[in-house]
Short mmCIF file of all heavy atoms in Angstrom, two decimals:
data_model
loop_
_atom_site.label_atom_id
_atom_site.label_comp_id
_atom_site.label_asym_id
_atom_site.label_seq_id
_atom_site.Cartn_x
_atom_site.Cartn_y
_atom_site.Cartn_z
N GLN A 24 3.44 -10.70 24.13
CA GLN A 24 2.20 -9.95 23.81
C GLN A 24 1.02 -10.51 24.58
O GLN A 24 0.18 -9.78 25.10
CB GLN A 24 1.93 -9.94 22.31
CG GLN A 24 2.78 -8.96 21.55
CD GLN A 24 2.27 -8.73 20.13
OE1 GLN A 24 1.58 -9.59 19.57
NE2 GLN A 24 2.58 -7.58 19.55
N LEU A 25 0.92 -11.86 24.61
CA LEU A 25 -0.19 -12.51 25.35
C LEU A 25 -0.08 -12.20 26.83
O LEU A 25 -1.09 -11.88 27.48
CB LEU A 25 -0.13 -14.03 25.13
CG LEU A 25 -1.20 -14.86 25.83
CD1 LEU A 25 -2.59 -14.43 25.38
CD2 LEU A 25 -0.96 -16.34 25.58
N PHE A 26 1.12 -12.27 27.37
CA PHE A 26 1.33 -11.94 28.79
C PHE A 26 0.95 -10.50 29.08
O PHE A 26 0.27 -10.22 30.08
CB PHE A 26 2.79 -12.21 29.17
CG PHE A 26 3.17 -11.71 30.55
CD1 PHE A 26 2.73 -12.38 31.67
CD2 PHE A 26 3.92 -10.58 30.69
CE1 PHE A 26 3.09 -11.92 32.94
CE2 PHE A 26 4.27 -10.08 31.94
CZ PHE A 26 3.86 -10.78 33.07
N LEU A 27 1.41 -9.57 28.21
CA LEU A 27 1.12 -8.15 28.40
C LEU A 27 -0.37 -7.86 28.24
O LEU A 27 -0.92 -6.95 28.91
CB LEU A 27 1.91 -7.31 27.42
CG LEU A 27 3.41 -7.22 27.69
CD1 LEU A 27 4.14 -6.45 26.59
CD2 LEU A 27 3.70 -6.56 29.04
N PHE A 28 -1.05 -8.62 27.37
CA PHE A 28 -2.51 -8.44 27.19
C PHE A 28 -3.23 -8.72 28.52
O PHE A 28 -4.02 -7.90 28.97
CB PHE A 28 -3.02 -9.37 26.14
CG PHE A 28 -4.53 -9.37 25.99
CD1 PHE A 28 -5.15 -8.43 25.20
CD2 PHE A 28 -5.31 -10.29 26.67
CE1 PHE A 28 -6.55 -8.38 25.09
CE2 PHE A 28 -6.72 -10.27 26.53
CZ PHE A 28 -7.32 -9.30 25.76
N VAL A 29 -2.92 -9.83 29.15
CA VAL A 29 -3.53 -10.19 30.42
C VAL A 29 -3.14 -9.19 31.52
O VAL A 29 -4.01 -8.72 32.29
CB VAL A 29 -3.14 -11.63 30.84
CG1 VAL A 29 -3.72 -11.95 32.22
CG2 VAL A 29 -3.60 -12.63 29.80
N LEU A 30 -1.85 -8.87 31.57
CA LEU A 30 -1.32 -7.95 32.59
C LEU A 30 -1.97 -6.58 32.47
O LEU A 30 -2.44 -5.98 33.46
CB LEU A 30 0.18 -7.86 32.52
CG LEU A 30 0.88 -7.03 33.59
CD1 LEU A 30 0.67 -7.66 34.97
CD2 LEU A 30 2.37 -6.92 33.29
N CYS A 31 -2.00 -6.03 31.24
CA CYS A 31 -2.53 -4.69 31.02
C CYS A 31 -4.03 -4.61 31.27
O CYS A 31 -4.55 -3.63 31.78
CB CYS A 31 -2.22 -4.21 29.60
SG CYS A 31 -0.48 -3.83 29.32
N LEU A 32 -4.75 -5.71 30.94
CA LEU A 32 -6.17 -5.80 31.19
C LEU A 32 -6.47 -5.72 32.71
O LEU A 32 -7.33 -4.95 33.16
CB LEU A 32 -6.76 -7.07 30.61
CG LEU A 32 -8.27 -7.29 30.81
CD1 LEU A 32 -9.07 -6.14 30.16
CD2 LEU A 32 -8.70 -8.62 30.22
N ILE A 33 -5.72 -6.50 33.46
CA ILE A 33 -5.88 -6.51 34.93
C ILE A 33 -5.53 -5.12 35.50
O ILE A 33 -6.26 -4.57 36.34
CB ILE A 33 -5.01 -7.58 35.58
CG1 ILE A 33 -5.50 -8.99 35.15
CG2 ILE A 33 -5.00 -7.46 37.11
CD1 ILE A 33 -4.54 -10.09 35.57
N MET A 34 -4.41 -4.55 35.03
CA MET A 34 -3.97 -3.25 35.49
C MET A 34 -5.00 -2.16 35.17
O MET A 34 -5.25 -1.26 36.00
CB MET A 34 -2.63 -2.88 34.91
CG MET A 34 -1.45 -3.64 35.50
SD MET A 34 0.10 -3.07 34.77
CE MET A 34 1.28 -3.89 35.87
N HIS A 35 -5.61 -2.24 33.99
CA HIS A 35 -6.59 -1.25 33.58
C HIS A 35 -7.83 -1.28 34.50
O HIS A 35 -8.33 -0.21 34.89
CB HIS A 35 -6.99 -1.46 32.13
CG HIS A 35 -7.83 -0.36 31.58
ND1 HIS A 35 -7.55 0.97 31.76
CD2 HIS A 35 -8.97 -0.38 30.84
CE1 HIS A 35 -8.43 1.72 31.15
NE2 HIS A 35 -9.32 0.93 30.59
N VAL A 36 -8.25 -2.47 34.84
CA VAL A 36 -9.38 -2.60 35.77
C VAL A 36 -9.04 -2.02 37.13
O VAL A 36 -9.84 -1.28 37.74
CB VAL A 36 -9.79 -4.09 35.93
CG1 VAL A 36 -10.85 -4.27 37.00
CG2 VAL A 36 -10.31 -4.63 34.59
N THR A 74 -5.02 6.33 30.65
CA THR A 74 -4.98 4.89 30.35
C THR A 74 -6.13 4.47 29.45
O THR A 74 -5.99 3.54 28.66
CB THR A 74 -5.02 4.08 31.65
OG1 THR A 74 -6.13 4.51 32.46
CG2 THR A 74 -3.73 4.31 32.45
N SER A 75 -7.30 5.16 29.59
CA SER A 75 -8.44 4.78 28.75
C SER A 75 -8.22 5.14 27.28
O SER A 75 -8.84 4.57 26.38
CB SER A 75 -9.70 5.49 29.25
OG SER A 75 -10.02 5.05 30.56
N SER A 76 -7.30 6.07 27.03
CA SER A 76 -6.99 6.43 25.64
C SER A 76 -5.96 5.53 25.01
O SER A 76 -5.84 5.44 23.78
CB SER A 76 -6.48 7.87 25.56
OG SER A 76 -5.19 7.98 26.13
N SER A 77 -5.17 4.82 25.83
CA SER A 77 -4.08 4.02 25.28
C SER A 77 -4.21 2.52 25.50
O SER A 77 -3.88 1.72 24.62
CB SER A 77 -2.75 4.47 25.89
OG SER A 77 -2.78 4.37 27.30
N ILE A 78 -4.72 2.09 26.67
CA ILE A 78 -4.74 0.66 26.96
C ILE A 78 -5.77 -0.12 26.11
O ILE A 78 -5.40 -1.16 25.53
CB ILE A 78 -4.99 0.40 28.48
CG1 ILE A 78 -3.83 0.92 29.29
CG2 ILE A 78 -5.19 -1.08 28.74
CD1 ILE A 78 -3.94 0.72 30.77
N PRO A 79 -7.05 0.33 25.96
CA PRO A 79 -7.96 -0.44 25.13
C PRO A 79 -7.47 -0.65 23.68
O PRO A 79 -7.52 -1.78 23.18
CB PRO A 79 -9.24 0.40 25.18
CG PRO A 79 -9.17 1.08 26.51
CD PRO A 79 -7.74 1.43 26.68
N PRO A 80 -6.97 0.42 22.97
CA PRO A 80 -6.45 0.17 21.65
C PRO A 80 -5.23 -0.78 21.64
O PRO A 80 -5.05 -1.57 20.72
CB PRO A 80 -6.02 1.58 21.14
CG PRO A 80 -6.82 2.51 21.97
CD PRO A 80 -6.99 1.87 23.29
N MET A 81 -4.41 -0.68 22.73
CA MET A 81 -3.27 -1.56 22.84
C MET A 81 -3.70 -3.03 23.00
O MET A 81 -3.11 -3.92 22.39
CB MET A 81 -2.43 -1.14 24.06
CG MET A 81 -1.08 -1.81 24.19
SD MET A 81 -0.36 -1.50 25.81
CE MET A 81 -0.44 0.28 25.93
N LEU A 82 -4.75 -3.25 23.76
CA LEU A 82 -5.24 -4.61 23.97
C LEU A 82 -5.79 -5.17 22.63
O LEU A 82 -5.59 -6.36 22.33
CB LEU A 82 -6.36 -4.62 25.03
CG LEU A 82 -5.95 -4.22 26.44
CD1 LEU A 82 -7.15 -4.22 27.37
CD2 LEU A 82 -4.89 -5.16 26.98
N VAL A 83 -6.46 -4.33 21.86
CA VAL A 83 -6.98 -4.76 20.57
C VAL A 83 -5.84 -5.17 19.64
O VAL A 83 -5.89 -6.17 18.93
CB VAL A 83 -7.82 -3.65 19.91
CG1 VAL A 83 -8.19 -4.02 18.48
CG2 VAL A 83 -9.10 -3.40 20.73
N ILE A 84 -4.78 -4.36 19.65
CA ILE A 84 -3.61 -4.63 18.80
C ILE A 84 -2.92 -5.92 19.22
O ILE A 84 -2.46 -6.70 18.39
CB ILE A 84 -2.65 -3.42 18.82
CG1 ILE A 84 -3.25 -2.26 18.03
CG2 ILE A 84 -1.28 -3.80 18.26
CD1 ILE A 84 -2.51 -0.96 18.18
N PHE A 85 -2.82 -6.16 20.53
CA PHE A 85 -2.19 -7.39 21.01
C PHE A 85 -2.92 -8.63 20.50
O PHE A 85 -2.30 -9.64 20.20
CB PHE A 85 -2.17 -7.42 22.55
CG PHE A 85 -1.10 -6.58 23.16
CD1 PHE A 85 -1.26 -6.03 24.43
CD2 PHE A 85 0.09 -6.34 22.51
CE1 PHE A 85 -0.24 -5.26 25.01
CE2 PHE A 85 1.10 -5.58 23.07
CZ PHE A 85 0.94 -5.02 24.32
N LYS A 86 -4.27 -8.58 20.41
CA LYS A 86 -5.05 -9.76 20.08
C LYS A 86 -5.46 -9.82 18.60
O LYS A 86 -5.86 -10.85 18.09
CB LYS A 86 -6.34 -9.83 20.91
CG LYS A 86 -6.07 -10.02 22.41
CD LYS A 86 -5.34 -11.33 22.68
CE LYS A 86 -6.23 -12.54 22.41
NZ LYS A 86 -5.55 -13.80 22.69
N SER A 87 -5.34 -8.70 17.89
CA SER A 87 -5.78 -8.65 16.49
C SER A 87 -4.68 -9.17 15.58
O SER A 87 -3.47 -8.92 15.80
CB SER A 87 -6.16 -7.24 16.14
OG SER A 87 -6.42 -7.11 14.76
N GLU A 88 -5.09 -9.85 14.53
CA GLU A 88 -4.12 -10.29 13.49
C GLU A 88 -3.73 -9.11 12.59
O GLU A 88 -2.57 -9.03 12.17
CB GLU A 88 -4.76 -11.41 12.64
CG GLU A 88 -4.98 -12.71 13.40
CD GLU A 88 -5.53 -13.81 12.50
OE1 GLU A 88 -5.64 -13.56 11.27
OE2 GLU A 88 -5.79 -14.89 13.02
N LYS A 90 -2.96 -5.64 12.87
CA LYS A 90 -2.65 -4.65 13.91
C LYS A 90 -2.56 -3.26 13.33
O LYS A 90 -1.50 -2.72 13.07
CB LYS A 90 -1.34 -5.05 14.61
CG LYS A 90 -1.34 -6.46 15.17
CD LYS A 90 0.01 -6.81 15.72
CE LYS A 90 0.04 -8.29 16.18
NZ LYS A 90 -0.92 -8.57 17.23
N GLN A 100 -5.04 9.53 19.75
CA GLN A 100 -4.31 8.86 20.83
C GLN A 100 -3.06 9.65 21.24
O GLN A 100 -2.75 9.76 22.41
CB GLN A 100 -3.92 7.43 20.39
CG GLN A 100 -3.34 6.59 21.51
CD GLN A 100 -2.91 5.23 21.03
OE1 GLN A 100 -1.73 5.02 20.73
NE2 GLN A 100 -3.85 4.30 20.97
N ILE A 177 3.90 -0.04 20.27
CA ILE A 177 2.58 -0.59 20.61
C ILE A 177 1.52 0.51 20.78
O ILE A 177 0.37 0.20 20.93
CB ILE A 177 2.68 -1.45 21.88
CG1 ILE A 177 3.35 -0.68 23.02
CG2 ILE A 177 3.40 -2.75 21.61
CD1 ILE A 177 3.42 -1.45 24.31
N THR A 178 1.96 1.77 20.74
CA THR A 178 1.01 2.90 20.76
C THR A 178 1.51 3.94 19.77
O THR A 178 2.61 3.86 19.26
CB THR A 178 0.93 3.54 22.17
OG1 THR A 178 2.22 4.07 22.54
CG2 THR A 178 0.48 2.54 23.21
N LEU A 276 5.49 1.39 28.82
CA LEU A 276 4.40 0.82 29.60
C LEU A 276 4.47 1.17 31.07
O LEU A 276 3.47 1.33 31.75
CB LEU A 276 4.38 -0.70 29.46
CG LEU A 276 3.84 -1.29 28.14
CD1 LEU A 276 3.98 -2.79 28.14
CD2 LEU A 276 2.36 -0.93 27.98
N VAL A 280 1.18 2.75 32.12
CA VAL A 280 0.27 1.81 32.74
C VAL A 280 0.56 1.59 34.22
O VAL A 280 -0.33 1.71 35.08
CB VAL A 280 0.30 0.44 31.99
CG1 VAL A 280 -0.69 -0.54 32.66
CG2 VAL A 280 -0.04 0.61 30.53
#
Side-chain angles (χ1 to χ4, degrees):
Q24 281 194 336
L25 179 60
F26 171 74
L27 289 175
F28 174 84
V29 176
L30 185 63
C31 289
L32 179 61
I33 294 171
M34 285 182 170
H35 189 45
V36 172
T74 53
S75 296
S76 71
S77 58
I78 295 181
M81 190 192 307
L82 296 177
V83 172
I84 288 170
F85 281 152
K86 295 299 291 181
S87 173
E88 293 184 3
K90 304 175 185 299
Q100 187 182 97
I177 52 179
T178 62
L276 283 176
V280 180

